Amino acid sequence: MSPDLGHLLRTYVCDLEVKAKSLIPISNFDLDMLPLFPSWAKIDIHIKENGCSSMNEYLETDLFHATADHLRDILNKVISHIGLVSERTGEPIKIFPLRLRRTLASRAAREGYGLLIIARLLDHADTQSAHIYTENTPEHLTSLDKALAMQLAPIAQAFAGTLVIHEKYANRGNEISSRIMNRDTGEGVGTCGTHSFCSALAPIACYTCYHFQPWLDGPHEAILESLITKRKEILARTQDKTIASVNDRTIFAVSQVVELCNERKLALKNCNSGVSDE
């Protein structure tokens, strides 16, 4: 957790305590048992109907906890207000309580916590379900620059498409609607080989799609440098390697395309040189 996020969380908890003390005499309940996301409406109704004498008894249950639906509504309002958009789809990111639970467990596994801790975090009765999060937990790199990305790209094998020398050789290469453009510069990057509807955010999401046909002369290196720069900025701002590494697989895919382009250009150069010598 970053210091900024920790400060916000602590401030939120303090505000909860202040509000709880204003509603309930401190001697009538254990403050540490207060839900992190309480339903104040339920608490208010309980106090009006039953008084404060039985607060601790009910705090041991889920009675005063906000429901998943209520939390989802709050999350959606926050996402809408701040305009948080998915880099993969270009649409408002979909956030819901279950997704946050899975993220919590996945991050705990990546950071080396065992089955018992993960099960406890998820409030599970046993460790059976926790195995899902520990079986496949690739470590995120704290630092990833262009040179390292180029070295790791062949191992990652993130690029799933087919490199084409020219747009005209691509599947659907004669259709203007199939062109994939760099949103920042307006340059052509490649061709989409499918007629199916796609909601992914081009061109970033395309590099890991098997329908993608990058052009040999596309601005792949510029896109790679942009992704690397953005990664560094996110890491510097959040101090969170998990958030910063969200596009690492795409970075590896773009790196692989850059390497394939370099190899193909060299091969074409040697071929042309051989023809000239003859």
Side-chain angles (χ1 to χ4, degrees), residues 198-248:
C198 179
S199 60
L201 183 63
I204 302 303
C206 300
Y207 282 90
T208 53
C209 175
Y210 67 90
H211 292 299
F212 182 47
Q213 302 164 92
W215 302 340
L216 183 63
D217 59 350
H220 311 297
E221 196 155 356
I223 291 175
L224 174 60
E225 291 175 354
S226 175
L227 286 170
I228 293 291
T229 299
K230 188 172 183 179
R231 187 191 196 280
K232 292 178 179 178
E233 291 173 351
I234 293 174
L235 184 59
R237 188 166 65 250
T238 65
Q239 297 298 309
D240 191 319
K241 63 181 181 180
T242 304
I243 296 175
S245 63
V246 67
N247 278 328
D248 278 6

Side-chain angles (χ1 to χ4, degrees), residues 98 110 175 201 214 227 253 266:
L98 180 58
R110 291 191 186 102
E175 301 177 32
L201 183 63
L227 286 170
L266 180 60

Side-chain angles (χ1 to χ4, degrees), residues 256-276:
Q256 192 174 351
V257 170
V258 170
E259 184 62 29
L260 289 172
C261 287
N262 290 338
E263 292 175 357
R264 184 66 61 86
K265 288 176 182 177
L266 180 60
L268 290 173
K269 180 180 179 181
N270 292 337
C271 181
N272 292 334
S273 176
V275 172
S276 299

Side-chain angles (χ1 to χ4, degrees), residues 68-193:
D69 288 341
H70 179 63
L71 291 176
R72 185 182 64 245
D73 291 341
I74 293 175
L75 288 169
N76 287 333
K77 288 179 181 178
V78 171
I79 295 301
S80 176
H81 178 71
I82 65 178
L84 187 60
V85 174
S86 168
E87 291 193 355
R88 186 179 64 82
T89 66
E91 301 293 331
I93 194 167
K94 292 181 172 58
I95 297 291
F96 42 90
L98 180 58
R99 179 173 182 174
L100 297 182
R101 280 175 58 84
R102 290 170 176 169
T103 299
L104 174 65
S106 297
R107 292 190 62 174
R110 291 191 186 102
E111 292 172 13
Y113 291 97
L115 294 174
L116 290 174
I117 297 298
I118 295 173
R120 181 69 182 88
L121 286 171
L122 297 176
D123 198 26
H124 287 172
D126 55 50
T127 61
Q128 184 175 357
S129 298
H131 282 284
I132 298 172
Y133 302 99
T134 59
E135 288 175 353
N136 185 20
T137 56
E139 291 295 324
H140 292 307
L141 298 169
T142 301
S143 177
L144 180 62
D145 57 21
K146 183 178 177 182
L148 182 57
M150 295 294 288
Q151 292 177 21
L152 295 177
I155 301 173
Q157 291 293 306
F159 172 59
T162 304
L163 179 68
V164 293
I165 297 177
H166 191 275
E167 178 183 13
K168 65 182 180 181
Y169 297 117
N171 181 28
R172 297 185 64 214
N174 60 337
E175 301 177 32
I176 296 179
S177 62
S178 70
R179 289 179 181 172
I180 297 172
M181 313 299 289
N182 185 344
R183 292 169 179 257
D184 295 331
T185 64
E187 297 176 274
V189 176
T191 301
C192 178

